[in-house]
Amino acid sequence: MASLSASLVRGALSSPFKRAGRPDATLPPGHLTRPAAPVAPGPLAAYARICGFTESGPLPLTYPHVLAFPLTMRLMTDRAFPLPVLGLVHTWIEITPHRAVQPTEPPELTVFAHGLTPHRRGTEVTMVTEARVGGELVWESRSGYLSRHRTTDAAAAPRTASVPDAVGELPVVAEWALPGDLGRRYGAVSGDRNPIHLHPLTARLFGFPRAIAHGMWTVARCLAEAGDPVGIRSVRAEFRAPVPLPATVTYAADAAGSAFALRGTKGRVHLLGAVTRAS
């Protein structure tokens, strides 16, 4: 946690000196790796509780992302990283679990930046996370993070969606009341203390009228509600609209467990997800 706190401070200090959208921007070429280390049971249990996962069995599908977050932050706050980390918005994630990972297995974690993409609202970076046990790749993910800034490229568009918009019409399965302090509570568990999630005052600095829920909390809560992860080959979630806090949202899913969505009370789609399962 000390190294993560140092990264957050470094990011806060360096962000004002970084200008997103530079045509000559390049990403740092290296990989950051954390050697294999045991999974701490206390933080894992706290994460499971706030996201709705059971506190037994394999690691939640989203948990390696949380374990690797300090590495991600260290890379994103490095002087060579071209985007300001403050205000970055998580736009999508693809998770590929190659097998179930048990809490007793110490994962080795690797993070690297894959590419920069023009976006109609700014610039998006793709971050890759990998988890290995005994040299075996057991889990990997790719995530998009958007740095919002003015752009003159009207033709620039978001990454091509792979989750059909019709998923947003799925039947409602559950309704959740999200408290105003959810961002602070999840931030304490995950280490992600981006100001847009913590308080209305800090969120307003980045154009949000209220604090917004973490995208990774929303996808984790949906996967926890879906239940048994056995047979899942991949998950893709696209964060379509921020969830302002506090809020009441509805979780919707199909009977086969291959598609899910998170919607607001007025039908606004916040998240769309697709699950690929073994045949």
Side-chain angles (χ1 to χ4, degrees):
M1 187 61 71
S3 62
L4 179 54
S5 299
S7 293
L8 290 169
V9 172
R10 185 168 62 246
L13 294 175
S14 65
S15 287
F17 300 98
K18 295 185 178 182
R19 184 168 62 86
R22 290 177 50 183
D24 60 343
T26 58
L27 290 168
H31 293 43
L32 293 182
T33 298
R34 190 202 74 174
V39 176
L44 173 59
Y47 177 84
R49 285 193 296 271
I50 197 168
C51 295
F53 290 106
T54 61
E55 295 185 34
S56 61
L59 292 182
L61 286 179
T62 48
Y63 198 58
H65 178 93
V66 173
L67 292 176
F69 187 70
L71 287 180
T72 303
M73 282 297 299
R74 196 195 315 167
L75 183 58
M76 285 183 163
T77 57
D78 189 271
R79 293 180 63 182
F81 193 78
L83 305 179
V85 71
L86 291 183
L88 278 182
V89 178
H90 200 175
T91 49
W92 56 270
I93 185 168
E94 295 172 348
I95 297 173
T96 304
H98 296 287
R99 69 165 175 81
V101 182
Q102 300 301 322
T104 54
E105 295 183 290
E108 176 189 272
L109 302 168
T110 300
V111 170
F112 60 94
H114 179 67
L116 291 170
T117 305
H119 189 286
R120 61 185 173 84
R121 293 181 178 174
T123 301
E124 190 175 76
V125 62
T126 298
M127 302 295 293
V128 179
T129 302
E130 298 174 339
R132 289 176 170 81
V133 173
E136 175 195 5
L137 181 64
V138 295
W139 183 99
E140 59 185 314
S141 73
R142 298 166 64 88
S143 287
Y145 293 90
L146 174 65
S147 178
R148 302 194 304 174
H149 60 83
R150 291 183 180 179
T151 176
T152 58
D153 188 359
R159 175 183 168 92
T160 302
S162 62
V163 180
D165 286 335
V167 170
E169 302 171 3
L170 294 168
V172 172
V173 175
E175 181 177 277
W176 305 322
L178 312 185
D181 66 347
L182 177 61
R184 294 189 292 276
R185 291 169 54 203
Y186 180 80
V189 169
S190 67
D192 184 352
R193 292 184 173 87
N194 189 320
I196 62 177
H197 304 302
L198 303 182
H199 193 278
L201 291 177
T202 55
R204 288 190 195 110
L205 295 175
F206 300 95
F208 298 97
R210 288 186 281 168
I212 63 174
H214 292 73
M216 284 307 299
W217 180 87
T218 62
V219 68
R221 185 67 186 87
C222 288
L223 291 173
E225 187 72 21
D228 190 1
V230 174
I232 291 181
R233 287 185 171 176
S234 67
V235 175
R236 178 173 173 99
E238 296 174 2
F239 309 113
R240 294 297 182 90
V243 179
L245 297 172
T248 298
V249 295
T250 56
Y251 165 74
D254 64 0
S258 61
F260 60 91
L262 194 71
R263 298 194 292 258
T265 53
K266 296 183 179 180
R268 188 182 192 190
V269 177
H270 295 294
L271 176 150
L272 296 179
V275 177
T276 302
R277 296 181 180 272
S279 56

